[in-house]
């Protein structure tokens, strides 16, 4: 089968490799489409904490089951599926609490012998596969996993419909967090970014206001002025840039909550006086759990919020190198780029 490899930093290749042999509790998926995620870009740049080149890249996927292991009972050949691409292993806090994302030893595609999703075929344990309703297309199905990130962030924020929300970063995760928040009934949502075209997509997807913060020293005050009064109840950080923690605290009302969704590299400073004296909160957020995946699929299946607006490009797998380049360099008004194997 053909598979897309990150060979080394910023080096993509397509290789012929053997189709993985199924274990008894696994399903073989003929991949229709895979997504390029921000964390894949971290791998592409050699910065990911545990997914290191050379590796078959990708963890977002939708496709058709073409073979099942001997002990599989919940799936049959022909089922259309996506995958929740994480497994909690070992005796760990994740196992004890039921939160897979807390697991001390967490397995994901591109780790160990679990190959990534950017290949003609992908193997998933039965427990990680999720059936897609007939009404959900493969292009929508591949967005279930990144939308689950936004759903989990909304859960960690304890979102209420009356909340005033700021989302700092209009990349795919920021935009899908916007969808997750809107699904909770929130109407006051300000999205910030440095790219006008990303902010245009945020507006199309339902942001009440957007602000380009590039060379804008007054953007925090500008954001607050979009509200009838006061500051934001909840702030989501979906871009891990320097200084963004304190920026988010400055946006927040007393007693409000910041949720950190983005991947960060290096240290961030925190204005502890602002945090303590105003009883503000900073909450960590890591991937998702099965209820988040189920809620993400439900949001998509309802069809009331157009998640597909986040998709800017769909390229054949032979052009995966181009896809990674345009996402990494933010070329050609790229937002979410899909890689097709159909």
């Amino acid at each position: 089968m053909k598979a897309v490899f990150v060979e080394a930093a910023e080096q993509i290749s397509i290789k012929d490799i053997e189709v993985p042999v199924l274990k008894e509790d696994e399903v073989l998926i003929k991949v229709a489409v895979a997504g390029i995620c921000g964390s894949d870009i971290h791998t592409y740049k050699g910065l990911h904490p545990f997914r290191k080149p050379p590796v078959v890249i990708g963890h977002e996927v939708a496709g058709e089951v073409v073979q099942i292991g001997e002990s599989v009972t919940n799936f049959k050949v022909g089922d259309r599926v996506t995958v929740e691409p994480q497994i909690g292993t070992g005796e760990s806090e994740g196992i004890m609490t039921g939160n897979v994302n807390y697991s001390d030893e967490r397995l994901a595609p591109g780790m160990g012998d679990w190959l990534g999703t950017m290949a003609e075929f992908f193997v998933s344990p039965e427990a990680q596969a999720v059936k897609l309703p007939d009404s959900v297309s493969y292009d929508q199905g591949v967005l279930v996993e990144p939308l689950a990130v936004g759903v989990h962030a909304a859960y960690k924020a304890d979102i209420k419909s009356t909340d005033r929300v700021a989302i700092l970063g209009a990349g795919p995760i920021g935009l899908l967090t916007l969808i997750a928040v809107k699904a909770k009934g929130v109407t006051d949502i300000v999205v910030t970014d440095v790219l006008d075209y990303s902010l245009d997509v945020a507006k199309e997807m339902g942001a009440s206001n957007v602000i380009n913060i590039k060379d804008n020293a007054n953007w925090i005050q500008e954001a607050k002025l979009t509200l009838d009064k006061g500051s934001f109840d909840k702030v989501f950080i979906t871009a891990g840039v320097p200084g963004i923690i304190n920026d988010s605290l400055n946006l927040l009302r007393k007693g409000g909550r910041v949720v950190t969704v983005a991947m960060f590299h290096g240290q961030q400073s925190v204005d502890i006086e602002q945090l303590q004296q105003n009883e503000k909160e900073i909450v960590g957020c890591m991937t998702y759990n099965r209820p988040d995946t189920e809620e993400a699929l439900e949001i998509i299946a309802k069809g009331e919020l157009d998640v597909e607006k986040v998709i800017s490009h769909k390229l054949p797998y032979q052009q995966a190198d181009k896809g990674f380049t345009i996402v990494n360099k933010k070329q050609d008004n790229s937002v979410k780029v899909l890689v097709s194997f159909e």
Side-chain angles (χ1 to χ4, degrees), residues 72-285:
V72 171
T73 58
N74 292 321
F75 295 90
K76 64 183 186 302
V77 171
D79 282 343
R80 302 166 64 257
V81 296
T82 185
V83 172
E84 183 180 293
Q86 60 176 1
I87 302 172
T89 61
E91 293 295 327
S92 67
E93 192 170 348
I95 300 298
M96 291 185 290
T97 64
N99 297 288
V100 174
N101 60 338
Y102 291 178
S103 296
D104 297 332
E105 299 176 24
R106 186 170 154 270
L107 185 64
M111 296 177 63
D113 61 358
W114 196 8
L115 302 181
T117 60
M118 281 191 200
E120 291 182 285
F121 296 93
F122 175 69
V123 168
S124 171
E126 177 182 22
Q128 272 58 55
V130 179
K131 289 181 184 178
L132 295 176
D134 291 341
S135 61
V136 175
S137 70
Y138 285 138
D139 285 2
Q140 293 171 323
V142 79
L143 297 177
V144 171
E145 191 273 347
L147 179 56
V149 175
V151 169
H152 188 65
Y155 163 73
K156 296 297 289 185
D158 191 23
I159 282 289
K160 306 291 191 297
S161 62
T162 54
D163 280 340
R164 298 160 299 182
V165 171
I167 299 174
L168 310 186
I173 293 300
L175 294 171
L176 291 171
T177 299
L178 167 63
I179 290 289
V181 170
K182 284 189 65 64
K184 298 292 187 183
V186 178
T187 56
D188 287 334
I189 308 170
V190 176
V191 178
T192 69
D193 203 275
V194 297
L195 298 171
D196 284 333
Y197 73 83
S198 293
L199 293 172
D200 289 342
V201 177
K203 195 69 174 176
E204 290 176 12
M205 293 179 74
S208 51
N209 288 282
V210 297
I211 299 173
N212 191 320
I213 66 172
K214 186 176 182 180
D215 301 322
N216 184 352
N218 298 316
W219 71 269
I220 292 176
Q221 186 60 30
E222 184 179 339
K224 291 180 179 181
L225 289 174
T226 65
L227 305 173
D228 289 337
K229 58 181 179 179
S231 302
F232 292 88
D233 301 289
K234 310 287 168 58
V235 177
F236 295 89
I237 298 176
T238 53
V241 297
I244 201 164
I245 296 291
N246 284 335
D247 287 342
S248 66
L249 289 173
N250 287 329
L251 286 166
L252 206 61
R253 68 164 172 81
K254 294 182 179 181
R257 179 175 294 182
V258 171
V259 178
T260 60
V261 188
M263 290 186 70
F264 290 86
H265 296 286
Q267 299 293 313
Q268 285 270 341
S269 61
V270 177
D271 183 348
I272 195 67
E273 183 177 350
Q274 163 121 243
L275 191 72
Q276 181 182 23
Q277 293 191 5
N278 296 315
E279 289 199 344
K280 298 178 180 181
E281 301 176 3
I282 302 173
V283 175
C285 182

Side-chain angles (χ1 to χ4, degrees), residues 16-75:
D16 277 307
I17 61 173
E18 294 294 322
V19 176
V21 177
L22 280 187
K23 298 175 184 176
E24 65 175 16
D25 63 343
E26 294 178 334
V27 299
L28 182 67
I29 300 165
K30 186 179 187 302
V31 175
V33 64
I36 299 178
C37 174
S39 65
D40 294 328
I41 296 299
H42 287 282
T43 303
Y44 174 71
K45 297 170 74 170
L47 299 174
H48 200 281
F50 54 79
R51 194 179 286 115
K52 300 294 186 182
V55 63
V56 179
I57 195 63
H59 60 271
E60 301 170 353
V61 67
E64 179 183 343
V65 174
V66 293
Q67 186 180 346
I68 61 173
E70 294 178 357
S71 68
V72 171
T73 58
N74 292 321
F75 295 90

Side-chain angles (χ1 to χ4, degrees), residues 5 32 86 102 266 292 309:
F5 277 78
Q86 60 176 1
Y102 291 178
D292 306 307
K309 285 187 181 297

